[in-house]
Amino acid sequence: SSEIEGINTSSHNLCQFYEEYEARGSDIPVTSGIYNLEDMKKVGQENGWCPYFATRHVVRFASVVVYNYQYMLDPKVASMVSKELEKECIVVFDEAHNIDNVCIEA
């Protein structure tokens, strides 16, 4: 099978990084610290994991998550991105002057 930057292009079309993440599951170690996108990419590359799914896993252990408020307000995006957040959490919106338009468009 041929591979293009980590994507298995065999007849099954499976991503080797996702498959490695799935194989390890909840065994991904979560260490205290502050992580940004570049940090999660590095963690993914070092461990052969999909950084997207690794991030979705570790967000459940976070005390503070900073991201665009549209990830929480847009139902299509929130169902994929924000569902791992605790049901009871504190949400702070920065630059909230645009929230009404985002809610109307969602």
Side-chain angles (χ1 to χ4, degrees):
S1 81
S2 62
E3 293 187 13
I4 301 171
E5 291 190 41
I7 298 174
N8 181 339
T9 58
S10 69
S11 61
H12 298 290
N13 292 325
L14 300 175
C15 172
Q16 75 183 31
F17 294 109
Y18 176 76
E19 294 299 312
E20 183 63 29
Y21 165 77
E22 276 292 302
R24 296 277 306 271
S26 61
D27 292 339
I28 294 174
V30 180
T31 56
S32 297
I34 299 172
Y35 297 93
N36 62 24
L37 178 61
E38 292 304 316
D39 296 330
M40 291 310 296
K41 284 182 185 177
K42 185 177 178 184
V43 168
Q45 289 172 342
E46 289 173 353
N47 295 287
W49 302 327
C50 172
Y52 171 75
F53 286 101
T55 300
R56 285 185 56 182
H57 171 76
V58 300
V59 76
R60 293 182 287 171
F61 302 98
S63 298
V64 176
V65 177
V66 178
Y67 61 37
N68 187 304
Y69 59 78
Q70 291 174 330
Y71 292 155
M72 183 169 282
L73 298 178
D74 185 325
K76 293 173 276 191
V77 178
S79 67
M80 295 183 297
V81 177
S82 301
K83 68 182 177 183
E84 283 87 5
L85 297 178
E86 292 288 327
K87 297 291 182 201
E88 294 183 24
C89 63
I90 297 171
V91 178
V92 177
F93 292 107
D94 187 20
E95 299 291 326
H97 59 274
N98 293 321
I99 287 182
D100 56 343
N101 291 333
V102 172
C103 291
I104 289 169
E105 292 172 8

